[in-house]
Amino acid sequence: MDIFLQIWGGGAYLLAKILLSHAEGLREDRTWRMAGWSMYLLGLPAWVILLAGRHNWIAAANEAGGGPALLLGLVLAWKRLDRAPKFFDWAVRIFTYIMIVLGTTYSLYSFGGLTAFSQALEIGVTIGFLLGSFLLAGKNPAGWLFYGLMIISMGSLMFIQGKIILIIQQGVSLIFVISGFVRALGRNTKIGRGL
């Protein structure tokens, strides 16, 4: 079951990064963005199960809390919007913060404080995933930098836990995160707009 979850979650998230990275260079990016956000949503349950199964409560809550941000990205792409209406923006933020607090609190309770290196890595995953998803939903290139933090933290966590498939997936994902960042910067410059 563990291998199946690694392939499911890792594959869906890798494909999401590939699709979103590719969208950065296109004028008509709607289809690619919708496919990318859909793949994230498809892989989300596998990641929550994998992380909760290893008692990575902060990261599991982060993934679950990131669901609305991923859905928001899909809706914004579908409606061809760069920014969410304020109400939805705040609703997603509040839900995300609640999940982070719950996951962190339970992790601190479960481990008797911040006592494990894995918890520090989970915090890196959380910051990277949530801020990255939120910023990328609004087409902000800085989201890719936070995704880089997430990938390095998650790759390290998976290394500690011996999840070979997910270590490789994180390494390959980093290539597409860097590509997405470079393409997003190009999109936001006069030279990039002319291409």
Side-chain angles (χ1 to χ4, degrees):
M1 181 68 155
D2 188 70
I3 297 292
F4 171 73
L5 290 171
Q6 287 184 59
I7 293 169
W8 169 18
Y13 272 31
L14 175 59
L15 187 53
K17 289 177 190 82
I18 292 169
L19 294 167
L20 289 174
S21 175
H22 181 71
E24 291 293 352
L26 304 174
R27 287 183 195 264
E28 276 302 313
D29 61 356
R30 179 178 184 240
T31 302
W32 292 96
R33 288 189 188 281
M34 287 178 58
W37 292 115
S38 296
M39 291 309 299
Y40 266 129
L41 287 166
L42 181 66
L44 182 70
W47 276 101
V48 172
I49 293 166
L50 277 167
L51 293 166
R54 293 294 297 209
H55 302 281
N56 298 127
W57 304 118
I58 299 170
N62 159 50
E63 292 291 336
L70 300 175
L71 187 59
L72 180 62
L74 177 62
V75 170
L76 291 176
W78 178 51
K79 294 196 170 245
R80 299 176 198 250
L81 298 172
D82 289 337
R83 302 233 183 270
K86 285 192 178 197
F87 171 77
F88 292 109
D89 181 60
W90 279 103
V92 167
R93 285 181 195 216
I94 289 169
F95 181 79
T96 299
Y97 295 147
I98 289 170
M99 290 304 292
I100 290 171
V101 167
L102 289 175
T104 303
T105 301
Y106 190 74
S107 180
L108 294 174
Y109 170 77
S110 179
F111 284 91
L114 190 60
T115 60
F117 180 61
S118 64
Q119 290 173 293
L121 292 172
E122 289 181 76
I123 291 169
V125 169
T126 299
I127 292 168
F129 180 72
L130 296 176
L131 288 176
S133 296
F134 181 75
L135 292 170
L136 285 179
K139 296 185 180 179
N140 184 330
W144 290 108
L145 296 175
F146 283 101
Y147 266 26
L149 170 65
M150 170 193 64
I151 286 172
I152 291 167
S153 299
M154 184 63 83
S156 300
L157 184 62
M158 295 299 102
F159 178 77
I160 290 169
Q161 296 177 356
K163 300 206 180 291
I164 301 300
I165 294 170
L166 294 178
I167 295 166
I168 294 167
Q169 179 263 334
Q170 293 298 315
V172 174
S173 290
L174 190 56
I175 295 166
F176 291 97
V177 166
I178 293 167
S179 173
F181 178 67
V182 169
R183 293 174 79 144
L185 287 179
R187 183 192 70 219
N188 289 333
T189 65
K190 289 182 181 178
I191 294 170
R193 286 188 198 122
L195 296 176

